[in-house]
Amino acid sequence: MINQIKKNIKDFLDNKYEGINLIVEEPKDKKMGDLSVPVFPIVKTLKRPLNDVVNEVKELLQNNFKVIKEISNVGGFINLKLNKEDLAFNIIKEVLDKDSHYGESKMGENKLTALDYSSPNIAKSFSIGHLRSTIIGNSLKLINQKCGYKTYAINYLGDWGTQFGKMIVAYNLWADKEKVKEDPINELTKLYVKFHEEAKNKPELEDEAREAFRKCELKDPEYLKLWEYIKDESLKESEQIYKLLKVDFDSYKGEAFYNDKMDPVVDELMAKKLAYLDDGALIVNLGDDMPPALIKRKDGGSLYMTRDLAALLYRKKVLNFDKILYVVGNEQKLHFEQLKKIIELMGYDFKDEVYHVGFGLYLVNGKKMSTRQGGVTKLYDVLEKAINLALEQINLKNPNLANKEDVATKVGVAAVLFNDLKNHRELNIEFDLNSCVKFEGQTGPYLQYSSVRIASILKNQELDLNNLDETVYDNDDYFDIIKQLSNFTNTIEKACLDNAPSYIAKYLLNLAQSFNKLYSLYKLNVSDDKVRNANFALIKAIRIVINEGLRLLGIDYLNEM
């Protein structure tokens, strides 16, 4: 609402002083007012005396905006004090009336966002390395929905490619079939690691892997049967993770789905004279600013680029998305720049609808984890440990809590998710499980606990909005929080535009800290009915926003913990 007031004032002045781009800002010194309008651009453009301009603008604002309580100026800065009591009450009432719908935007109305995220490789354990794509993508889906977009979530499974040829070679050479049957993913992961260890001294294994994958592409029935088995077992493990994280998808079409869709794309590239042979391989020249894109290897095998081109063209045709987000690590930046450039060269007009939402790595002791070197950290093990640590804290703080195990699960998962999402996605993250499960500090459990504290205060209490003392909100400690509440929609829209869930995470931390400061400074459950109702209305609004913000991050809120 305050942002809307700022916009209304700016629009009014821009219309009055056409062609002069004025700003409406919040003064750094709160004593100066709630909003400030520097009028120097008017003075400079119209070459009028400063005092004349100041007096004119003051009169215009006073006559046209009832929400303004006082107007003063210091030099060329016009400072506005708003009618905080009415404004605060209206903001709080809007939150209470809209409840979980508060913060919704129409920014994406009648538009579709497609999202490609998670995308684990089959035949490998679901590692913590896949956590970032999974939860950033899921949060962006929820944020886009909050902004009015329809969404279509795609789990583009890594179920094809040379790495599967490596798995076939390893399976045929070293697999204990009974052990694989008993514990498929762990045993297959060991085989994958063994392949890379052996290939250091036997480089011919790499050639065997390429040949094995070529046979897959030629639909060798024995190899395809093995592929189906491994894919099914991998999905069983992934679903266990997704259920715990409460992540779901509209499509599980992986790389293999596009096998029969690649040749038409290659034919189109050839017909448009974009692809040509270079030393036996098929490439597309992308100009001086980036290296050429490899479309087919010498042996005729397809590559990521071939499949991603086929997938992108298929998705545009079938979904007709307004934008598509590829939530994939920073190291794939060049790949997506090449993909967009090829689309442009092919004559398609939607390259600007394609976004690479890059993110940094999870580091363990400063080093990247690698499945092929056996350094994988299983995500399920991490989540299980986080849940156990949460249960230990609950047993210490509230041993008689009902449904302790369920609460511990939600707290443990919140700890892992928030530890990631509070950081800007492009940053690398050093993972420290013990610190992120704490109930204080910049953690998910801290936000859950702040919401629970409010629930405890309001439990069995009556709230009468028709009998409250609005003058309470004139206090800066109160009004600062109300301004934060009014900024929720704006924060969500920015998070959507920049594909940055961290904006919401940081907003929630600031809001929770403001509430806990208020709780420490003032008694909220007072004997005066009107003051108590004013306090309760505010903190109930805070809880609604914290809970909804947590939901947008994929985190459950709690009533007790």
Side-chain angles (χ1 to χ4, degrees), residues 113-387:
T113 300
L115 303 98
D116 178 326
Y117 60 98
S118 193
S119 309
N121 295 316
I122 68 169
K124 298 178 188 177
S125 290
F126 200 116
S127 78
I128 195 169
H130 277 283
L131 176 65
R132 300 214 70 188
S133 175
T134 304
I135 64 175
I136 293 170
N138 184 59
S139 180
L140 289 176
K141 180 182 80 169
L142 298 171
I143 291 167
N144 273 264
Q145 289 172 352
K146 189 77 171 176
C147 288
Y149 289 92
K150 293 179 181 177
T151 60
Y152 192 86
I154 303 164
N155 195 345
Y156 186 52
L157 298 173
D159 60 359
W160 208 242
T162 307
Q163 78 273 8
F164 191 72
K166 295 175 183 178
M167 180 56 67
I168 291 173
V169 171
Y171 185 88
N172 288 336
L173 287 175
W174 307 301
D176 182 324
K177 307 296 193 294
E178 286 303 313
K179 283 188 176 179
V180 172
K181 191 174 180 180
E182 290 172 12
D183 191 5
I185 302 305
N186 282 332
E187 289 301 316
L188 290 169
T189 300
K190 289 176 186 176
L191 290 171
Y192 187 76
V193 172
K194 184 175 176 65
F195 177 93
H196 287 279
E197 289 173 348
E198 295 289 330
K200 291 175 185 176
N201 299 317
K202 297 178 182 177
E204 64 271 16
L205 287 173
E206 296 283 356
D207 294 326
E208 290 181 34
R210 280 188 284 272
E211 177 60 20
F213 175 57
R214 193 179 74 84
K215 287 183 178 178
C216 284
E217 291 195 300
L218 294 172
K219 299 184 178 178
D220 181 292
E222 182 183 342
Y223 285 2
L224 287 181
K225 184 178 178 182
L226 179 59
W227 171 76
E228 286 282 3
Y229 167 72
I230 292 173
K231 181 180 176 181
D232 289 345
E233 292 299 326
S234 300
L235 278 173
K236 287 178 187 176
E237 188 194 56
S238 296
E239 284 298 335
Q240 186 183 28
I241 298 290
Y242 295 139
K243 186 177 180 181
L244 194 55
L245 297 177
K246 296 187 177 177
V247 171
D248 56 22
F249 300 90
D250 299 296
S251 167
Y252 284 85
K253 289 183 174 70
E255 294 179 48
F257 175 79
Y258 297 97
N259 284 345
D260 62 352
K261 297 167 183 62
M262 289 185 288
D263 285 345
V265 174
V266 174
D267 292 344
E268 185 178 347
L269 288 169
M270 297 289 285
K272 291 178 176 176
K273 298 182 180 180
L274 295 172
Y276 61 93
L277 289 172
D278 182 39
D279 194 24
L282 194 67
I283 68 169
V284 174
N285 193 325
L286 302 177
D288 298 332
D289 296 333
M290 65 180 79
L294 189 58
I295 301 300
K296 274 194 173 184
R297 295 195 306 263
K298 288 182 183 180
D299 62 7
S302 63
L303 293 141
Y304 285 124
M305 184 60 74
T306 328
R307 288 189 287 280
D308 277 359
L309 267 173
L312 179 55
L313 292 172
Y314 175 86
R315 291 165 179 175
K316 183 60 179 175
K317 180 180 178 181
V318 173
L319 299 175
N320 193 26
F321 53 74
D322 294 279
K323 61 178 176 177
I324 183 167
L325 310 181
Y326 287 90
V327 188
V328 183
N330 287 337
E331 62 270 24
Q332 295 298 319
K333 181 180 179 183
L334 174 61
H335 172 82
F336 286 101
E337 287 176 348
Q338 290 178 315
L339 180 66
K340 291 175 68 171
K341 186 64 177 178
I342 294 172
I343 289 294
E344 181 183 19
L345 291 173
M346 291 175 79
Y348 294 104
D349 62 359
F350 62 89
K351 80 175 181 69
D352 291 335
E353 298 170 8
V354 180
Y355 295 85
H356 171 216
V357 181
F359 56 84
L361 302 168
Y362 266 135
L363 305 177
V364 176
N365 298 321
K367 295 180 180 178
K368 176 185 175 181
M369 292 172 288
S370 173
T371 308
R372 64 182 59 184
Q373 295 172 8
V376 66
T377 302
K378 292 182 186 177
L379 179 55
Y380 195 83
D381 293 346
V382 171
L383 292 170
E384 197 171 50
K385 187 177 179 183
I387 290 165

Side-chain angles (χ1 to χ4, degrees), residues 81-145:
K81 288 190 176 180
L82 303 177
N83 188 332
K84 292 181 181 178
E85 297 167 18
D86 287 349
L87 181 59
F89 178 77
N90 288 334
I91 291 169
I92 290 171
K93 189 173 186 305
E94 183 183 1
V95 179
L96 298 181
D97 287 346
K98 291 184 176 179
D99 198 57
S100 62
H101 292 286
Y102 182 68
E104 287 178 350
S105 164
K106 293 185 177 180
M107 187 171 72
E109 198 169 34
N110 300 318
K111 294 180 181 178
L112 173 69
T113 300
L115 303 98
D116 178 326
Y117 60 98
S118 193
S119 309
N121 295 316
I122 68 169
K124 298 178 188 177
S125 290
F126 200 116
S127 78
I128 195 169
H130 277 283
L131 176 65
R132 300 214 70 188
S133 175
T134 304
I135 64 175
I136 293 170
N138 184 59
S139 180
L140 289 176
K141 180 182 80 169
L142 298 171
I143 291 167
N144 273 264
Q145 289 172 352

